[in-house]
Amino acid sequence: MTHRYLQARVGLRCDTRSVSAPLPRQLLQSNRRPSADSDRPAVLRKSTAQPRAALAETLAPVSLTQTQESVAVLKKTSLITAVKTPYREDGKFDLRAYDAHVQRQIENGVEGLIVGGTTGEGQLMSWDEHVMLIAHTVNTFGSQLQVIGNTGSNSTREALHATEQGFAVGMDAALQINPYYGKTSLDGLMAHFTAVLHEGPTIIYNVPSRTGQDVPDHIVQRLQHHPNWLGVKECTGNNRIQSYADQGIICWSGNDDEAHDGRHNHGAQGVISVTSNIIPGLFSQMMHKPNAELNSKLQELMAWLFCEPNPVPLNTAMAMCGLIKPVFRLPYVPLNREKREQGAKLLQQVQEHIPGCKDIQVLNDDDFKIVSKY
């Protein structure tokens, strides 16, 4: 596994070099604020005073023991949030809102994050933005939960490049989608996944409703023997999850409404959740202890959160709860007023379980800002 590109912040360019493993976590988790003249981590800031020997020591490989420990933790992680990316009025990242949101996730039992996934709108980010957000998340919260970067692409070259960068800035694992739109053959699918698995610990993401192509069982069965295989985020239902579980293949449900039963009745390890952005504590309860009554009560809210393509309802809900600014990057736009009114009633039923929410407002159409250039 090689990582040739290091990029811990947007605008930071490092010499092309070969690195044998991700940057050591202790170098990315300092609580010290950067100096006034730069917002770059001190260990990666350009400096003529830093000898090459010191830089080489900085980039020393993470030990096999550390990697194995991280993988072992990931394989036992039950609640992973596909975290929302908030925006400022100009459409750029609102890192203050992001940090507050992630901190509330941690305080309410979330064990891992997917950074820049579909929910986090990685598809609307430049790769510079994408890798910067992964680096920021590792640097700020990496000692408290697992950071999984969504660095997949329908281009194998892009997926490799982004995944190298993600591991170079310290992410624990990659989430890899199968090539979408320009679909490949099954042999090509196997070759694509094998290539990205070489980069580091990986969760494969199967969501045919978005990609237009299912990742068939025999591909997963072959891939599970790769040393960097972690498991699969499976969106085709609990019957398939049960089949994989019977074969010892780790699965996280990708369907919030099925996740409780998937976890407790069908062998899923847990869930990679959208709804846990709103009610992380309740989802944590359901992942760690069977609670059919709670699961039943939350079904209507979960259905509303998917009444339009994700992340449209979630973005709308978080704005209505005052957790983020009501800013959308096109092509996403907020739910219409009728659906917002429906959602407000459902959100009010669980308001005491929404961390950081002081009030729930329907909001007017002109309260939302939609940006096309950012």
Side-chain angles (χ1 to χ4, degrees), residues 84-85 87 91-93 116-130 150 180 310-312 315 327-333 370-374:
K84 159 66 182 164
T85 307
Y87 304 119
K92 296 180 180 179
F93 293 168
T118 307
T119 306
E121 301 179 26
Q123 63 275 15
L124 305 187
M125 297 177 190
S126 70
W127 280 117
D128 282 348
E129 288 182 309
H130 208 137
N150 174 40
Y180 46 87
N310 178 51
V312 170
N315 292 358
V327 179
F328 282 67
R329 284 183 173 184
L330 278 175
Y332 300 125
V333 297
I370 300 170
V371 294
S372 59
K373 295 181 178 181
Y374 37 85

mmCIF file of all heavy atoms in Angstrom, residues 84-85 87 91-93 116-130 150 180 310-312 315 327-333 370-374:
data_model
loop_
_atom_site.group_PDB
_atom_site.id
_atom_site.type_symbol
_atom_site.label_atom_id
_atom_site.label_comp_id
_atom_site.label_asym_id
_atom_site.label_seq_id
_atom_site.Cartn_x
_atom_site.Cartn_y
_atom_site.Cartn_z
ATOM 1 N N LYS A 84 -23.786 14.909 8.136
ATOM 2 C CA LYS A 84 -24.166 16.061 7.310
ATOM 3 C C LYS A 84 -23.035 17.092 7.281
ATOM 4 O O LYS A 84 -22.359 17.311 8.277
ATOM 5 C CB LYS A 84 -25.441 16.682 7.884
ATOM 6 C CG LYS A 84 -25.729 18.129 7.501
ATOM 7 C CD LYS A 84 -26.011 18.295 6.027
ATOM 8 C CE LYS A 84 -26.245 19.777 5.676
ATOM 9 N NZ LYS A 84 -26.159 20.021 4.233
ATOM 10 N N THR A 85 -22.829 17.720 6.131
ATOM 11 C CA THR A 85 -21.877 18.820 5.992
ATOM 12 C C THR A 85 -22.644 20.137 5.966
ATOM 13 O O THR A 85 -23.388 20.395 5.015
ATOM 14 C CB THR A 85 -21.059 18.696 4.696
ATOM 15 O OG1 THR A 85 -20.449 17.407 4.627
ATOM 16 C CG2 THR A 85 -19.984 19.772 4.639
ATOM 17 N N TYR A 87 -23.238 24.342 5.720
ATOM 18 C CA TYR A 87 -22.664 25.406 4.898
ATOM 19 C C TYR A 87 -22.923 26.781 5.500
ATOM 20 O O TYR A 87 -23.918 26.998 6.206
ATOM 21 C CB TYR A 87 -23.270 25.373 3.482
ATOM 22 C CG TYR A 87 -23.109 24.055 2.789
ATOM 23 C CD1 TYR A 87 -24.218 23.310 2.399
ATOM 24 C CD2 TYR A 87 -21.850 23.529 2.531
ATOM 25 C CE1 TYR A 87 -24.083 22.089 1.757
ATOM 26 C CE2 TYR A 87 -21.698 22.299 1.893
ATOM 27 C CZ TYR A 87 -22.817 21.592 1.508
ATOM 28 O OH TYR A 87 -22.675 20.378 0.885
ATOM 29 N N GLY A 91 -21.961 29.335 0.853
ATOM 30 C CA GLY A 91 -21.895 27.981 0.317
ATOM 31 C C GLY A 91 -20.654 27.214 0.709
ATOM 32 O O GLY A 91 -20.525 26.028 0.375
ATOM 33 N N LYS A 92 -19.729 27.848 1.417
ATOM 34 C CA LYS A 92 -18.537 27.144 1.882
ATOM 35 C C LYS A 92 -18.838 26.415 3.184
ATOM 36 O O LYS A 92 -19.857 26.647 3.832
ATOM 37 C CB LYS A 92 -17.379 28.140 2.054
ATOM 38 C CG LYS A 92 -16.941 28.777 0.741
ATOM 39 C CD LYS A 92 -15.791 29.746 0.945
ATOM 40 C CE LYS A 92 -15.375 30.368 -0.385
ATOM 41 N NZ LYS A 92 -14.260 31.340 -0.224
ATOM 42 N N PHE A 93 -17.947 25.516 3.566
ATOM 43 C CA PHE A 93 -18.173 24.716 4.775
ATOM 44 C C PHE A 93 -18.316 25.605 6.008
ATOM 45 O O PHE A 93 -17.540 26.542 6.210
ATOM 46 C CB PHE A 93 -17.000 23.763 5.028
ATOM 47 C CG PHE A 93 -16.838 22.668 4.015
ATOM 48 C CD1 PHE A 93 -15.684 21.898 4.004
ATOM 49 C CD2 PHE A 93 -17.815 22.395 3.082
ATOM 50 C CE1 PHE A 93 -15.510 20.877 3.079
ATOM 51 C CE2 PHE A 93 -17.654 21.377 2.155
ATOM 52 C CZ PHE A 93 -16.495 20.620 2.151
ATOM 53 N N GLY A 116 -18.174 13.004 4.013
ATOM 54 C CA GLY A 116 -18.304 13.247 2.581
ATOM 55 C C GLY A 116 -19.032 12.156 1.834
ATOM 56 O O GLY A 116 -18.775 11.924 0.650
ATOM 57 N N GLY A 117 -19.956 11.473 2.511
ATOM 58 C CA GLY A 117 -20.779 10.483 1.831
ATOM 59 C C GLY A 117 -21.907 11.155 1.060
ATOM 60 O O GLY A 117 -21.919 12.387 0.896
ATOM 61 N N THR A 118 -22.877 10.380 0.608
ATOM 62 C CA THR A 118 -24.024 10.965 -0.076
ATOM 63 C C THR A 118 -24.724 11.964 0.835
ATOM 64 O O THR A 118 -25.082 13.072 0.419
ATOM 65 C CB THR A 118 -25.017 9.867 -0.501
ATOM 66 O OG1 THR A 118 -24.332 8.880 -1.251
ATOM 67 C CG2 THR A 118 -26.145 10.455 -1.328
ATOM 68 N N THR A 119 -24.928 11.583 2.095
ATOM 69 C CA THR A 119 -25.577 12.457 3.067
ATOM 70 C C THR A 119 -24.750 13.712 3.308
ATOM 71 O O THR A 119 -25.295 14.815 3.447
ATOM 72 C CB THR A 119 -25.800 11.708 4.388
ATOM 73 O OG1 THR A 119 -26.515 10.495 4.129
ATOM 74 C CG2 THR A 119 -26.567 12.557 5.378
ATOM 75 N N GLY A 120 -23.429 13.560 3.357
ATOM 76 C CA GLY A 120 -22.536 14.693 3.556
ATOM 77 C C GLY A 120 -22.227 15.451 2.285
ATOM 78 O O GLY A 120 -21.443 16.405 2.284
ATOM 79 N N GLU A 121 -22.833 15.028 1.168
ATOM 80 C CA GLU A 121 -22.738 15.708 -0.119
ATOM 81 C C GLU A 121 -21.317 15.744 -0.680
ATOM 82 O O GLU A 121 -20.893 16.724 -1.288
ATOM 83 C CB GLU A 121 -23.336 17.118 -0.030
ATOM 84 C CG GLU A 121 -24.795 17.091 0.381
ATOM 85 C CD GLU A 121 -25.430 18.459 0.518
ATOM 86 O OE1 GLU A 121 -24.974 19.420 -0.133
ATOM 87 O OE2 GLU A 121 -26.403 18.564 1.289
ATOM 88 N N GLY A 122 -20.607 14.641 -0.507
ATOM 89 C CA GLY A 122 -19.292 14.532 -1.116
ATOM 90 C C GLY A 122 -19.342 14.686 -2.618
ATOM 91 O O GLY A 122 -18.385 15.150 -3.243
ATOM 92 N N GLN A 123 -20.486 14.328 -3.211
ATOM 93 C CA GLN A 123 -20.654 14.444 -4.662
ATOM 94 C C GLN A 123 -20.697 15.900 -5.126
ATOM 95 O O GLN A 123 -20.549 16.183 -6.316
ATOM 96 C CB GLN A 123 -21.916 13.706 -5.114
ATOM 97 C CG GLN A 123 -23.219 14.248 -4.546
ATOM 98 C CD GLN A 123 -23.563 13.682 -3.182
ATOM 99 O OE1 GLN A 123 -22.734 13.090 -2.509
ATOM 100 N NE2 GLN A 123 -24.802 13.845 -2.778
ATOM 101 N N LEU A 124 -20.887 16.836 -4.194
ATOM 102 C CA LEU A 124 -20.899 18.261 -4.529
ATOM 103 C C LEU A 124 -19.609 18.961 -4.122
ATOM 104 O O LEU A 124 -19.500 20.184 -4.238
ATOM 105 C CB LEU A 124 -22.091 18.959 -3.858
ATOM 106 C CG LEU A 124 -23.485 18.376 -4.133
ATOM 107 C CD1 LEU A 124 -24.558 19.274 -3.531
ATOM 108 C CD2 LEU A 124 -23.712 18.192 -5.628
ATOM 109 N N MET A 125 -18.636 18.200 -3.644
ATOM 110 C CA MET A 125 -17.370 18.771 -3.188
ATOM 111 C C MET A 125 -16.290 18.603 -4.244
ATOM 112 O O MET A 125 -16.279 17.623 -4.995
ATOM 113 C CB MET A 125 -16.887 18.068 -1.914
ATOM 114 C CG MET A 125 -17.784 18.195 -0.711
ATOM 115 S SD MET A 125 -17.084 17.232 0.669
ATOM 116 C CE MET A 125 -18.454 17.298 1.835
ATOM 117 N N SER A 126 -15.360 19.545 -4.260
ATOM 118 C CA SER A 126 -14.103 19.296 -4.963
ATOM 119 C C SER A 126 -13.310 18.289 -4.136
ATOM 120 O O SER A 126 -13.557 18.122 -2.931
ATOM 121 C CB SER A 126 -13.313 20.592 -5.111
ATOM 122 O OG SER A 126 -12.825 21.022 -3.840
ATOM 123 N N TRP A 127 -12.334 17.630 -4.761
ATOM 124 C CA TRP A 127 -11.520 16.691 -3.977
ATOM 125 C C TRP A 127 -10.705 17.437 -2.933
ATOM 126 O O TRP A 127 -10.422 16.905 -1.848
ATOM 127 C CB TRP A 127 -10.625 15.862 -4.893
ATOM 128 C CG TRP A 127 -11.348 14.717 -5.549
ATOM 129 C CD1 TRP A 127 -11.558 14.519 -6.876
ATOM 130 C CD2 TRP A 127 -11.994 13.612 -4.886
ATOM 131 N NE1 TRP A 127 -12.280 13.367 -7.092
ATOM 132 C CE2 TRP A 127 -12.562 12.784 -5.893
ATOM 133 C CE3 TRP A 127 -12.142 13.231 -3.552
ATOM 134 C CZ2 TRP A 127 -13.259 11.619 -5.607
ATOM 135 C CZ3 TRP A 127 -12.840 12.057 -3.257
ATOM 136 C CH2 TRP A 127 -13.391 11.268 -4.271
ATOM 137 N N ASP A 128 -10.328 18.685 -3.205
ATOM 138 C CA ASP A 128 -9.631 19.473 -2.185
ATOM 139 C C ASP A 128 -10.508 19.640 -0.941
ATOM 140 O O ASP A 128 -10.049 19.446 0.188
ATOM 141 C CB ASP A 128 -9.262 20.858 -2.733
ATOM 142 C CG ASP A 128 -8.041 20.831 -3.625
ATOM 143 O OD1 ASP A 128 -7.340 19.804 -3.645
ATOM 144 O OD2 ASP A 128 -7.783 21.845 -4.306
ATOM 145 N N GLU A 129 -11.763 20.031 -1.157
ATOM 146 C CA GLU A 129 -12.687 20.180 -0.031
ATOM 147 C C GLU A 129 -12.861 18.846 0.693
ATOM 148 O O GLU A 129 -12.876 18.799 1.936
ATOM 149 C CB GLU A 129 -14.051 20.637 -0.539
ATOM 150 C CG GLU A 129 -14.136 22.064 -1.008
ATOM 151 C CD GLU A 129 -15.546 22.409 -1.452
ATOM 152 O OE1 GLU A 129 -16.129 21.656 -2.261
ATOM 153 O OE2 GLU A 129 -16.060 23.438 -0.989
ATOM 154 N N HIS A 130 -13.010 17.799 -0.081
ATOM 155 C CA HIS A 130 -13.294 16.474 0.465
ATOM 156 C C HIS A 130 -12.174 16.006 1.401
ATOM 157 O O HIS A 130 -12.413 15.597 2.544
ATOM 158 C CB HIS A 130 -13.439 15.501 -0.706
ATOM 159 C CG HIS A 130 -14.332 14.340 -0.434
ATOM 160 N ND1 HIS A 130 -15.239 13.884 -1.347
ATOM 161 C CD2 HIS A 130 -14.441 13.528 0.637
ATOM 162 C CE1 HIS A 130 -15.877 12.826 -0.852
ATOM 163 N NE2 HIS A 130 -15.405 12.588 0.354
ATOM 164 N N ASN A 150 -15.392 8.810 2.582
ATOM 165 C CA ASN A 150 -16.022 8.330 1.357
ATOM 166 C C ASN A 150 -15.158 8.777 0.185
ATOM 167 O O ASN A 150 -15.343 9.846 -0.372
ATOM 168 C CB ASN A 150 -17.436 8.897 1.223
ATOM 169 C CG ASN A 150 -18.065 8.531 -0.103
ATOM 170 O OD1 ASN A 150 -17.908 7.406 -0.587
ATOM 171 N ND2 ASN A 150 -18.757 9.473 -0.722
ATOM 172 N N TYR A 180 -20.532 3.829 -10.939
ATOM 173 C CA TYR A 180 -21.909 4.155 -11.290
ATOM 174 C C TYR A 180 -21.948 4.877 -12.640
ATOM 175 O O TYR A 180 -20.937 5.344 -13.146
ATOM 176 C CB TYR A 180 -22.536 5.050 -10.213
ATOM 177 C CG TYR A 180 -21.626 6.184 -9.785
ATOM 178 C CD1 TYR A 180 -21.616 7.401 -10.459
ATOM 179 C CD2 TYR A 180 -20.743 6.008 -8.720
ATOM 180 C CE1 TYR A 180 -20.749 8.420 -10.087
ATOM 181 C CE2 TYR A 180 -19.877 7.021 -8.346
ATOM 182 C CZ TYR A 180 -19.884 8.223 -9.025
ATOM 183 O OH TYR A 180 -19.016 9.218 -8.659
ATOM 184 N N ASN A 310 -32.434 11.496 -0.374
ATOM 185 C CA ASN A 310 -31.463 11.921 0.626
ATOM 186 C C ASN A 310 -30.325 12.677 -0.082
ATOM 187 O O ASN A 310 -29.870 12.228 -1.139
ATOM 188 C CB ASN A 310 -30.908 10.678 1.343
ATOM 189 C CG ASN A 310 -29.856 10.999 2.374
ATOM 190 O OD1 ASN A 310 -30.049 11.840 3.229
ATOM 191 N ND2 ASN A 310 -28.708 10.338 2.274
ATOM 192 N N PRO A 311 -29.872 13.835 0.423
ATOM 193 C CA PRO A 311 -30.069 14.385 1.760
ATOM 194 C C PRO A 311 -31.077 15.525 1.864
ATOM 195 O O PRO A 311 -31.025 16.305 2.822
ATOM 196 C CB PRO A 311 -28.671 14.905 2.079
ATOM 197 C CG PRO A 311 -28.177 15.442 0.773
ATOM 198 C CD PRO A 311 -28.738 14.508 -0.277
ATOM 199 N N VAL A 312 -32.008 15.666 0.900
ATOM 200 C CA VAL A 312 -32.918 16.816 0.910
ATOM 201 C C VAL A 312 -33.719 16.913 2.209
ATOM 202 O O VAL A 312 -33.725 17.955 2.868
ATOM 203 C CB VAL A 312 -33.844 16.775 -0.326
ATOM 204 C CG1 VAL A 312 -34.959 17.808 -0.214
ATOM 205 C CG2 VAL A 312 -33.030 17.019 -1.594
ATOM 206 N N ASN A 315 -31.360 17.708 5.302
ATOM 207 C CA ASN A 315 -30.902 19.101 5.297
ATOM 208 C C ASN A 315 -32.007 20.027 5.783
ATOM 209 O O ASN A 315 -31.772 20.953 6.574
ATOM 210 C CB ASN A 315 -30.496 19.510 3.880
ATOM 211 C CG ASN A 315 -29.251 18.801 3.396
ATOM 212 O OD1 ASN A 315 -28.638 18.018 4.107
ATOM 213 N ND2 ASN A 315 -28.886 19.054 2.143
ATOM 214 N N VAL A 327 -28.978 26.633 4.291
ATOM 215 C CA VAL A 327 -28.259 26.861 3.040
ATOM 216 C C VAL A 327 -28.149 25.532 2.293
ATOM 217 O O VAL A 327 -27.731 24.521 2.874
ATOM 218 C CB VAL A 327 -26.857 27.445 3.298
ATOM 219 C CG1 VAL A 327 -26.108 27.642 1.979
ATOM 220 C CG2 VAL A 327 -26.957 28.769 4.062
ATOM 221 N N PHE A 328 -28.500 25.543 1.020
ATOM 222 C CA PHE A 328 -28.432 24.357 0.171
ATOM 223 C C PHE A 328 -27.506 24.619 -1.001
ATOM 224 O O PHE A 328 -27.558 25.685 -1.620
ATOM 225 C CB PHE A 328 -29.816 24.001 -0.375
ATOM 226 C CG PHE A 328 -30.713 23.296 0.594
ATOM 227 C CD1 PHE A 328 -31.183 23.940 1.728
ATOM 228 C CD2 PHE A 328 -31.108 21.984 0.361
ATOM 229 C CE1 PHE A 328 -32.021 23.292 2.624
ATOM 230 C CE2 PHE A 328 -31.946 21.320 1.237
ATOM 231 C CZ PHE A 328 -32.398 21.977 2.382
ATOM 232 N N ARG A 329 -26.664 23.643 -1.313
ATOM 233 C CA ARG A 329 -25.936 23.655 -2.568
ATOM 234 C C ARG A 329 -26.797 22.959 -3.626
ATOM 235 O O ARG A 329 -27.262 21.840 -3.406
ATOM 236 C CB ARG A 329 -24.600 22.901 -2.441
ATOM 237 C CG ARG A 329 -23.500 23.653 -1.704
ATOM 238 C CD ARG A 329 -22.202 22.841 -1.709
ATOM 239 N NE ARG A 329 -21.078 23.608 -1.164
ATOM 240 C CZ ARG A 329 -19.822 23.167 -1.117
ATOM 241 N NH1 ARG A 329 -19.532 21.954 -1.600
ATOM 242 N NH2 ARG A 329 -18.860 23.922 -0.613
ATOM 243 N N LEU A 330 -26.991 23.647 -4.759
ATOM 244 C CA LEU A 330 -27.684 22.988 -5.865
ATOM 245 C C LEU A 330 -26.916 21.748 -6.332
ATOM 246 O O LEU A 330 -25.690 21.739 -6.229
ATOM 247 C CB LEU A 330 -27.839 23.961 -7.034
ATOM 248 C CG LEU A 330 -29.003 24.940 -6.952
ATOM 249 C CD1 LEU A 330 -28.953 25.915 -8.130
ATOM 250 C CD2 LEU A 330 -30.353 24.209 -6.973
ATOM 251 N N PRO A 331 -27.612 20.688 -6.755
ATOM 252 C CA PRO A 331 -29.013 20.680 -7.165
ATOM 253 C C PRO A 331 -30.020 20.416 -6.056
ATOM 254 O O PRO A 331 -31.209 20.201 -6.339
ATOM 255 C CB PRO A 331 -29.043 19.541 -8.186
ATOM 256 C CG PRO A 331 -28.059 18.560 -7.638
ATOM 257 C CD PRO A 331 -26.946 19.413 -7.073
ATOM 258 N N TYR A 332 -29.595 20.410 -4.788
ATOM 259 C CA TYR A 332 -30.533 20.156 -3.698
ATOM 260 C C TYR A 332 -31.279 21.429 -3.329
ATOM 261 O O TYR A 332 -30.697 22.520 -3.288
ATOM 262 C CB TYR A 332 -29.796 19.587 -2.485
ATOM 263 C CG TYR A 332 -29.090 18.286 -2.787
ATOM 264 C CD1 TYR A 332 -27.730 18.134 -2.551
ATOM 265 C CD2 TYR A 332 -29.790 17.227 -3.339
ATOM 266 C CE1 TYR A 332 -27.085 16.948 -2.855
ATOM 267 C CE2 TYR A 332 -29.160 16.029 -3.640
ATOM 268 C CZ TYR A 332 -27.802 15.896 -3.397
ATOM 269 O OH TYR A 332 -27.175 14.725 -3.707
ATOM 270 N N VAL A 333 -32.572 21.272 -3.059
ATOM 271 C CA VAL A 333 -33.426 22.371 -2.625
ATOM 272 C C VAL A 333 -34.269 21.869 -1.457
ATOM 273 O O VAL A 333 -34.484 20.655 -1.319
ATOM 274 C CB VAL A 333 -34.332 22.875 -3.772
ATOM 275 C CG1 VAL A 333 -33.502 23.452 -4.913
ATOM 276 C CG2 VAL A 333 -35.247 21.762 -4.293
ATOM 277 N N ILE A 370 -30.213 29.187 -1.537
ATOM 278 C CA ILE A 370 -29.754 28.142 -2.449
ATOM 279 C C ILE A 370 -28.618 28.695 -3.277
ATOM 280 O O ILE A 370 -28.758 29.737 -3.916
ATOM 281 C CB ILE A 370 -30.909 27.676 -3.360
ATOM 282 C CG1 ILE A 370 -32.052 27.122 -2.493
ATOM 283 C CG2 ILE A 370 -30.424 26.607 -4.327
ATOM 284 C CD1 ILE A 370 -33.332 26.857 -3.242
ATOM 285 N N VAL A 371 -27.475 28.035 -3.229
ATOM 286 C CA VAL A 371 -26.280 28.529 -3.917
ATOM 287 C C VAL A 371 -25.899 27.575 -5.048
ATOM 288 O O VAL A 371 -25.964 26.359 -4.916
ATOM 289 C CB VAL A 371 -25.104 28.719 -2.941
ATOM 290 C CG1 VAL A 371 -25.390 29.816 -1.951
ATOM 291 C CG2 VAL A 371 -24.776 27.424 -2.206
ATOM 292 N N SER A 372 -25.538 28.158 -6.165
ATOM 293 C CA SER A 372 -25.119 27.358 -7.327
ATOM 294 C C SER A 372 -23.622 27.463 -7.579
ATOM 295 O O SER A 372 -23.045 26.596 -8.229
ATOM 296 C CB SER A 372 -25.883 27.806 -8.578
ATOM 297 O OG SER A 372 -25.655 29.180 -8.837
ATOM 298 N N LYS A 373 -22.997 28.518 -7.057
ATOM 299 C CA LYS A 373 -21.551 28.683 -7.185
ATOM 300 C C LYS A 373 -20.973 28.891 -5.799
ATOM 301 O O LYS A 373 -21.488 29.680 -5.014
ATOM 302 C CB LYS A 373 -21.203 29.889 -8.091
ATOM 303 C CG LYS A 373 -21.636 29.713 -9.529
ATOM 304 C CD LYS A 373 -21.233 30.922 -10.373
ATOM 305 C CE LYS A 373 -21.629 30.729 -11.824
ATOM 306 N NZ LYS A 373 -21.226 31.895 -12.664
ATOM 307 N N TYR A 374 -19.910 28.196 -5.486
ATOM 308 C CA TYR A 374 -19.348 28.271 -4.129
ATOM 309 C C TYR A 374 -17.881 27.888 -4.170
ATOM 310 O O TYR A 374 -17.431 27.263 -5.115
ATOM 311 C CB TYR A 374 -20.093 27.339 -3.178
ATOM 312 C CG TYR A 374 -20.525 26.034 -3.786
ATOM 313 C CD1 TYR A 374 -19.653 24.954 -3.830
ATOM 314 C CD2 TYR A 374 -21.789 25.867 -4.335
ATOM 315 C CE1 TYR A 374 -20.021 23.747 -4.398
ATOM 316 C CE2 TYR A 374 -22.172 24.664 -4.912
ATOM 317 C CZ TYR A 374 -21.286 23.604 -4.934
ATOM 318 O OH TYR A 374 -21.645 22.411 -5.506
#
